[in-house]
Amino acid sequence: MGLGDILDGTIKLIRSNPKAVLGLSAVAALLASVPLAVGQAFVLDTMSGALDDPESAYISSDGLTGVYGIAAQYGSTLISYAVQFVVVTLLTGVLTRILGRAVFGGGITAKEAWQLVKGRVPALFGVVALMAVIMLVPLVVMVLLIVVIAMNSSSGGAGMVLGLTLLFMVAYLGYYLFFTTRFAFASPIVVLESRGAIEAMRRSWQLVSGDFWRVFGILLLTSILVGLVAGILSVPFTLAGTLFGMFGAGSTATTVASAVLIAIGGTLGSMLTYPFQAGVAGLLYADRRMRSEAFDLVLQTAAIEQQRQGWVHASADELWHPSNSARP
């Protein structure tokens, strides 16, 4: 499959299962967006008072406003990330299972997909947890190293600290892109091949090895395209919510309206981002298996059987196992 085939296949997947795909994505996006929207609305509400009376930003009788503002901003962000960690992991599993059946021309409901996926949830969380460790460890080391250098440098060493920071950021960006590409197929492998987390990551590494730059380019282009579309959908609501919060009267109604608008913006953007990225990763995984394991022969055989039977049996899911490929 070429880039156009993969993007077109993902769009067809969404259009053929709008309730299951977009419905589940909307719920997941809403759950992840609400905590962040509430925290931002609270912070914006405090900013409206500072705009009316700038001195209030520096003078506080008990200091609680600043404490609450910081707690709302960072606490809501942490809660949002925690919720996103759970719901996006589950959503990816369900969407991958729907995609797995759709590749063979069959359909499956969200409830049926969940019944098939729930046994793979621990392995899915294992993949996400391992990826988090891989990404966070060098970042923490980098931050600690910069802090140590900054504390031990002279007053004129600010330029050196800034240069090192920029250098580390560029290096970390390359590190992040490399490993996210290498392990891009881990979640589809966990769901479709019923493998454990470490084994799935190892197999993803092997599949990507034969065509790293192509996989990297398609994933990067997909992220850019989805980001642009999500931004177009979400920015008007997010901007309106921000203006409501900053220039409103500071009433409860204004705060609620600001939170609702920001949540709608985040939901609209994410409800397209989640299924599109999951769909592209799943189809890229199938494409790599076609190129390296002659998986297209399995698809052709399944198509002939489907035409003979007139429908796609649930046993088609078992065809994803590598033992069914011509060159496992």
Side-chain angles (χ1 to χ4, degrees):
M1 291 184 289
L3 173 61
D5 298 320
I6 292 174
L7 296 179
D8 182 63
T10 303
I11 294 173
K12 286 181 178 178
L13 167 67
I14 297 174
R15 292 180 60 184
S16 63
N17 300 275
K19 291 183 179 180
V21 176
L22 292 180
L24 289 174
S25 298
V27 173
L30 183 62
L31 291 174
S33 298
V34 166
L36 186 60
V38 172
Q40 289 179 341
F42 183 88
V43 173
L44 291 171
D45 183 62
T46 60
M47 289 178 62
S48 66
L51 290 174
D52 295 333
D53 183 11
E55 293 185 0
S56 65
Y58 304 97
I59 302 175
S60 177
S61 58
D62 53 9
L64 291 179
T65 301
V67 173
Y68 288 151
I70 294 174
Q73 183 176 1
Y74 293 101
S76 63
T77 301
L78 291 176
I79 294 174
S80 180
Y81 282 145
V83 173
Q84 190 175 14
F85 174 83
V86 175
V87 299
V88 173
T89 301
L90 298 178
L91 177 66
T92 300
V94 174
L95 293 180
T96 301
R97 176 52 68 188
I98 294 174
L99 171 68
R101 186 71 62 83
V103 167
F104 293 105
I108 187 173
T109 65
K111 183 177 181 180
E112 292 171 336
W114 168 246
Q115 292 299 320
L116 295 172
V117 167
K118 62 182 182 180
R120 309 304 308 148
V121 168
L124 278 173
F125 278 111
V127 168
V128 177
L130 288 173
M131 284 296 297
V133 171
I134 292 172
M135 295 303 165
L136 289 177
V137 168
L139 185 62
V140 171
V141 172
M142 178 182 70
V143 172
L144 291 177
L145 184 59
I146 291 176
V147 170
V148 171
I149 293 175
M151 292 177 62
N152 293 294
S153 62
S154 60
S155 58
M160 182 184 70
V161 172
L162 179 59
L164 286 175
T165 301
L166 293 176
L167 180 62
F168 282 141
M169 289 176 63
V170 172
Y172 181 77
L173 177 61
Y175 175 90
Y176 175 86
L177 293 175
F178 175 79
F179 280 101
T180 52
T181 301
R182 281 290 188 179
F183 298 130
F185 302 152
S187 293
I189 290 170
V190 164
V191 175
L192 299 177
E193 297 185 17
S194 299
R195 294 176 182 255
I198 296 177
E199 189 179 1
M201 295 176 74
R202 185 183 298 117
R203 176 157 164 77
S204 176
W205 185 288
Q206 294 171 349
L207 285 175
V208 173
S209 294
D211 203 3
F212 175 85
W213 290 110
R214 180 172 177 273
V215 174
F216 168 77
I218 291 177
L219 291 176
L220 181 61
L221 179 60
T222 299
S223 298
I224 294 173
L225 291 176
V226 172
L228 290 174
V229 174
I232 292 173
L233 293 175
S234 64
V235 164
F237 292 94
T238 303
L239 181 59
T242 302
L243 294 176
F244 257 96
M246 290 183 63
F247 299 103
S251 64
T252 302
T254 302
T255 303
V256 171
S258 176
V260 169
L261 288 171
I262 293 174
I264 291 175
T267 301
L268 287 176
S270 298
M271 70 180 290
L272 291 179
T273 301
Y274 296 158
F276 209 89
Q277 290 183 330
V280 168
L283 290 177
L284 257 178
Y285 156 72
D287 175 70
R288 283 300 306 138
R289 289 195 57 184
M290 291 179 195
R291 294 171 185 267
S292 62
E293 301 175 354
F295 188 65
D296 51 321
L297 299 179
V298 177
L299 294 178
Q300 291 173 8
T301 303
I304 294 173
E305 184 66 17
Q306 173 192 346
Q307 186 177 11
R308 185 182 66 83
Q309 294 181 347
W311 63 296
V312 178
H313 193 268
S315 60
D317 296 337
E318 300 175 3
L319 296 175
W320 285 103
H321 196 275
S323 60
N324 294 298
S325 299
R327 295 190 300 273

